[in-house]
């Protein structure tokens, strides 16, 4: 009995070791093709698609849906759609722009999405985006109201013929577009900074592509200085005394503080800036 | 320890199992073969890898050809740069007034405003307020030669 147990244990350990080794070799050898021109195999595609669908479903059980049947709301949604969605997703009779045609996974035709997906799921995807796809999280650039406007328009979208859509497009061609991708929302709605929300915002305002930020995965570049120890740093960017107010000022408009800086204005909302500052001040 | 020694060392418990003459010995041998094959393949992969140059590799110029990193380290000591900056390899109070200068060689910008080239680094070191009037970093009065030596030292900090 004891011997059998040992044989089983050693066999299992050896198999696990071999599997880990094979996995490591697969990753390290570079045989996996990351190019956007190579579609996943049918099996992998199915697995990823199912993972996505189940994940969205699990997270949308208690979303409160506001009334969407309102012409004004639909029109507002159309303006957003025209400004931010059609470029990648296209519309009836309108192809996505060239850059979007090269995306893998390909952006969904929203007519199909509207016909197949529940309303709460559509709202959730607009708000949160989808990791490892081209779909961004809009909650940092649109208010809740604006995102529901888009959902309201998507509810109408499948009823429009290409001719209808083109007519709508023409009729509103001169409309003032909604402010482009600007932070209109507060991610948490709280006055005081929320550390966890701040850490998320570090991804959403692409801080991670230029700064090393302890505790944030993927933040490993030295374009700007490392933010390790920023809580005890005396100056922000070498120009402002490091006070919470100055930190908010800097995060929301770096070129406004120092016109020479390479750090751009990323359109950070006041609340998001508070959250980010709260996180940064944990980095002693 | 060489790589082979490391492998042998980690195989010790398995070798002991074989010596006990149980059926586990077969598995142990199997595990050992897998391990050795795996490591050697990995070693081969690592060994074969050629490192391609980045599109825009760090600027190499004549400017610092006469500069000396060791002298630069001495200049850094003399001017008390560590009063504000933490600098790897220079003893000091771990000050955090300005940013730490670790990774200065990999940094894309000097002070967040100048592309990190030797020319701009020397320009910055010689007179920071002349470059950015808003900076908190004062003009320390480094000579051209001192600034070049300091730059050479900072460029050793990857």
């Amino acid at each position: 009995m004891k011997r059998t147990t040992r044989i089983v244990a050693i066999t299992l350990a050896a198999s696990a070791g071999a599997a880990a080794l094979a996995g490591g070799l697969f990753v390290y050898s570079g045989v996996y093709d990351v190019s956007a021109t190579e579609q996943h195999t049918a099996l992998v595609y199915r697995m990823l698609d199912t993972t996505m669908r189940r994940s969205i479903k699990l997270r949308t059980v208690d979303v409160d849906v506001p009334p969407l049947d309102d012409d004004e709301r639909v029109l507002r949604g159309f303006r957003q759609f025209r400004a931010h969605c059609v470029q990648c997703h296209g519309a009836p009779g309108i192809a996505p722009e060239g850059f979007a045609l090269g995306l893998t996974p390909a952006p969904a035709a929203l007519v199909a999405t509207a016909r197949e997906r529940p309303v709460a799921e559509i709202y959730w995807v607009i708000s949160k985006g989808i990791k490892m796809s081209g779909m961004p999280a809009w909650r940092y650039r649109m208010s809740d109201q604006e995102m529901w406007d888009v959902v309201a328009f998507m509810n109408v979208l499948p009823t429009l013929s290409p001719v209808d859509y083109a007519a709508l497009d023409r009729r509103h061609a001169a409309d003032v577009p909604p402010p482009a991708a600007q932070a209109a929302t507060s991610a948490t709605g709280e006055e005081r900074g929320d550390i966890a929300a701040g850490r998320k915002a570090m991804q959403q305002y692409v801080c991670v592509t230029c700064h090393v930020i302890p505790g944030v995965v993927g933040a490993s570049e030295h374009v700007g200085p490392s933010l390790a120890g920023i809580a005890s740093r005396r100056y922000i960017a070498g120009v402002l005394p490091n006070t919470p107010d100055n930190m908010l000022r800097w995060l929301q408009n770096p070129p406004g503080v120092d016109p020479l800086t390479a750090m751009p204005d990323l359109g950070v909302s006041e609340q998001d800036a508070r959250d980010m500052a709260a996180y940064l001040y944990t980095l002693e | 320890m060489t790589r082979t020694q490391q492998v042998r060392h980690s195989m010790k418990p398995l070798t002991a199992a074989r010596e006990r003459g149980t059926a586990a010995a077969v598995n142990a041998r199997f595990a050992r073969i897998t391990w050795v094959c795996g490591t050697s393949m990995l070693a081969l992969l690592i060994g074969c890898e050629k490192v391609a140059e980045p599109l825009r590799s760090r600027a190499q110029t004549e400017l610092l050809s006469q500069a000396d990193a060791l002298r630069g380290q001495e200049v850094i000591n003399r001017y008390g740069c560590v009063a504000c900056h933490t600098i790897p390899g220079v003893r000091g109070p771990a000050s955090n007034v300005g940013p730490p200068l670790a990774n200065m060689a990999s940094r894309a910008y000097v002070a967040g405003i100048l592309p990190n080239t030797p020319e701009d680094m020397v320009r910055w070191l010689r007179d920071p307020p002349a470059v950015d009037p808003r900076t908190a970093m004062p003009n320390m009065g480094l000579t051209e030669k001192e600034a070049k030596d300091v730059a050479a030292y900072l460029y050793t900090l990857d």
Side-chain angles (χ1 to χ4, degrees), chain A residues 174-191:
Chain A
D175 287 8
V176 181
Q182 262 190 5
T185 175
S186 59
T188 59
E190 279 176 36
E191 257 288 299

Side-chain angles (χ1 to χ4, degrees), chain B residues 124-138:
Chain B
W124 175 258
L125 288 169
R126 290 215 60 193
D127 190 358
V131 176
D132 185 356
R134 303 193 183 202
T135 185
M137 180 158 158

Side-chain angles (χ1 to χ4, degrees), chain A residues 24-283:
Chain A
L25 272 177
F26 177 73
V27 170
Y28 197 81
S29 64
V31 288
Y32 181 76
D33 189 346
V34 297
S35 67
T37 52
E38 290 306 308
Q39 181 55 280
H40 299 292
T41 59
L43 185 70
V44 173
Y45 186 91
R46 184 108 171 254
M47 203 177 76
L48 292 173
D49 194 50
T50 308
T51 307
M52 178 185 75
R53 281 165 194 267
R54 299 297 299 170
S55 169
I56 296 169
K57 199 182 168 94
L58 179 71
R59 285 163 180 79
T60 48
V61 269
D62 49 2
V63 171
D64 293 325
V65 182
L68 301 175
D69 225 2
D70 165 2
D71 289 348
E72 260 312 299
R73 167 155 253 180
V74 171
L75 186 59
R76 285 200 306 269
F78 169 67
R79 291 199 188 101
Q80 293 287 351
F81 185 89
R82 203 164 179 273
H84 303 310
C85 310
V86 72
Q87 293 82 355
C88 283
H89 290 285
I94 294 179
E97 285 186 23
F99 68 85
L101 297 175
L103 289 170
T104 299
L110 295 180
V111 173
T113 306
R115 289 166 58 94
E116 289 162 18
R117 314 308 308 164
V119 61
E121 293 191 8
I122 293 174
Y123 164 79
W124 188 90
V125 170
I126 294 171
S127 171
K128 307 271 192 146
I130 298 173
K131 203 185 300 188
M132 300 280 273
S133 81
M135 182 68 192
W138 286 98
R139 66 197 302 252
Y140 289 87
R141 341 279 153 203
M142 280 188 195
S143 67
D144 223 35
Q145 148 116 18
E146 287 167 329
M147 291 188 288
W148 280 114
D149 291 348
V150 175
V151 178
F153 174 70
M154 277 181 64
N155 183 34
V156 174
L157 188 64
T159 69
L160 301 176
S161 69
V163 175
D164 293 337
Y165 186 88
L168 189 65
D169 206 33
R170 259 197 315 277
R171 211 173 323 134
H172 296 282
D175 287 8
V176 181
Q182 262 190 5
T185 175
S186 59
T188 59
E190 279 176 36
E191 257 288 299
R192 279 180 41 216
D194 176 324
I195 294 170
R199 184 160 64 176
K200 268 194 192 168
M202 292 288 161
Q203 297 283 353
Q204 288 298 322
Y205 291 104
V206 297
C207 313
V208 296
T209 57
C210 289
H211 296 280
V212 169
I213 313 170
V216 178
V217 175
S220 59
E221 293 294 339
H222 291 291
V223 178
S226 162
L227 300 183
I230 190 72
S232 50
R233 195 87 43 89
R234 286 292 302 280
Y235 286 93
I236 297 166
V239 293
L240 285 178
N242 189 359
T243 65
D245 279 349
N246 279 342
M247 184 61 96
L248 292 186
R249 215 176 123 206
W250 174 257
L251 288 171
Q252 291 186 270
N253 188 6
V257 175
D258 187 350
L260 298 174
T261 184
M263 178 155 155
D265 180 355
L266 287 145
V268 180
S269 72
E270 170 136 8
Q271 181 62 47
D272 288 337
R274 273 181 213 289
D275 295 342
M276 288 156 97
Y279 182 72
L280 291 175
Y281 285 134
T282 66
L283 305 175

